[in-house]
Amino acid sequence: MNHKTIRGAAGASTLLLALGGASGAAHAQELRFTCSSDGNECEVMDDMLDRLEAENDGLTVAVDIVPYQAILETLPVQLAAGTGPDIAKVTDLGGLSQYYLDLAPYVDTDYWEASFGDFLSWYRADADDTGIYGMHSQLTITGAFANTTLFEQAEVAIPADDASWEEWAEAAREVAEKTGTPFPMAMDRSGHRIAGPAIGNGARLFDDEGNAILVDEGFTDFVEQFVGWHEDGTMAPEVWGTSGGTTYQDAAEEFINGEIVYYYSGSWQTRRMDDSIGDDFDWKVTGTPCGPAACSGMPGGAGVVGIKATEHPEAVAKVIDFFAEEDNYAELAARTLNIPAHAAVAENGVDFDTESANTKAALRAWSAQVGKLSPVAFAYQGYGRLNRAMFNITVERISQALTGELSVDEAMARATDDLAKADAEAGQ
C-alpha cells in the first residue's frame, strides 16, 4: 500500500494510517512524518518514499505537510506531550535535541561522519554528545535579492560584491526614488536574519569562554542602524511593525510584486522567486553586504530527524538513511533546488532540475557565499542550547525599539536580561 500525503495544519498525532495488504497488521510499520516546505521538499520526499515502501513490505509513511509556523510552535508542544510524529523536518535543530532518536545503532556511522561532518553537531545536545540524530536536508544561507530591472531603469550601478550595507542602502534609496518603488529595502522579521549583518558589523555573540552574550558593541551598533533605516523610510515598516511577539514575517510577496528594490532573506526563497516572478522583471542574488568584520550571512536550513518516542526506531532510521544515501541525496538536492550539505554531493556538484537560467545563476551565487561565512555564524547556528531563545529575544526587543516603546539602549538592556533568564532556565 502506498503512503499518502496529507496537507493541513492538523497535529501529526491525528494522522493514523491503516495498513492493509498481505503483510498483515502484525508486521505493519506505520510511520508519521511531519514536514514543512519552502518550495517542494516535502512533495519530493513523499514521491521518493514510494521506492522505499516498494522495497519494504508493510512499511508505510504518512507525510503531513504543515505550515512552517506549525513546525515552530505546534510541533514542540506535541513532542513535549509525547504525541508527536515518528519523523519530522525541523529547523530548531539543537533546540529540540532532547526528543531526537539516535540513529547511530542503525546506520553506518563512518559514512554519516564523512558525508555530513560538522552539520551533525548542530543536532546534538552538547559537545560531549557523539550521537547521530538528523540528516541536514536543506542547507540554507541568508542573503539578498536585488531587482536588477529597477536598477537598470534608474540607471544606478549595482554595488560591487564587497559593497557595504551603507552602499547598498544608498543605492536602493536612489533606485526607489527614481522609479517610484514604495520601499528601498526589506528584511525578514527574524532574529536569524539579523544575525549575519550583526556579525559582519563585529558582533561576537559569545564571550572568550564560549558563553552566550548576544549584545555587545557590534550588535548594538547594527541595531541602531537598522532602527534608523526604519525611521528614514529605507526599510519597509510593515514587515517588522505589523506582527507581535516573536512571530516570523517575510517580505517575499512585496519583492515579487515589484514593491521592494532590495530584499534580505535567504536561499530557500529561490524557487519561489523564479516561479512567481517569471518574466515580470530580472533579479539576482547578491549575498550579504560587508561590515567591518565580515561579509557573512548565516548558515541554517532544515533537517530530517527521528523522534525517540517512536515505536519503530529501526524503520525510522531506515527512512532517514534512505535519504542520506549519496545518489538519493543528490536527487533530493537536484529536485528541490537546495544547496547540498552532503560532502560528496557538494564536491561532485548538483545537476539542478531546472531549465531556468535565473535559478541556476542564483544557486551558483548562493554556493559562492558558503566560503564567506564567519566562524561566529557557524557557532551561533550550532548553539542549540540557547540560539532559538537568542533569535526570539532579538525579534522581540528590536521590534520594541522600532515602535518607540523602548530606546535602542533600553531594548539591548532588556535583551541582556532576557538572555540571563533563558540561560538560567536552560540550566535547571
Side-chain angles (χ1 to χ4, degrees), residues 249-338:
Q249 179 65 47
D250 70 22
E253 283 301 318
E254 289 81 358
F255 182 79
I256 289 166
N257 292 332
E259 299 170 5
I260 296 169
V261 175
Y262 182 82
Y263 172 41
Y264 193 81
S265 186
S267 57
W268 59 92
Q269 299 277 21
T270 300
R271 176 186 285 273
R272 182 179 180 184
M273 294 301 177
D274 201 19
D275 289 346
S276 299
I277 294 171
D279 296 328
D280 291 348
F281 60 83
D282 293 328
W283 55 273
K284 66 178 293 187
V285 169
T286 65
T288 295
C290 295
C295 310
S296 179
M298 276 288 289
V304 180
V305 300
I307 306 304
K308 66 182 178 183
T310 181
E311 296 179 359
H312 305 290
E314 188 170 358
V316 167
K318 183 187 290 289
V319 170
I320 300 174
D321 200 39
F322 167 78
F323 288 120
E325 293 175 17
E326 184 174 338
D327 288 347
N328 291 339
Y329 192 98
E331 177 186 345
L332 181 63
R335 293 177 64 184
T336 60
L337 307 182
N338 279 316

Side-chain angles (χ1 to χ4, degrees), residues 18-30 57-59 311-312:
L19 182 68
S23 60
H27 302 288
Q29 294 176 314
E30 305 163 2
D57 189 31
L59 175 63
E311 296 179 359
H312 305 290

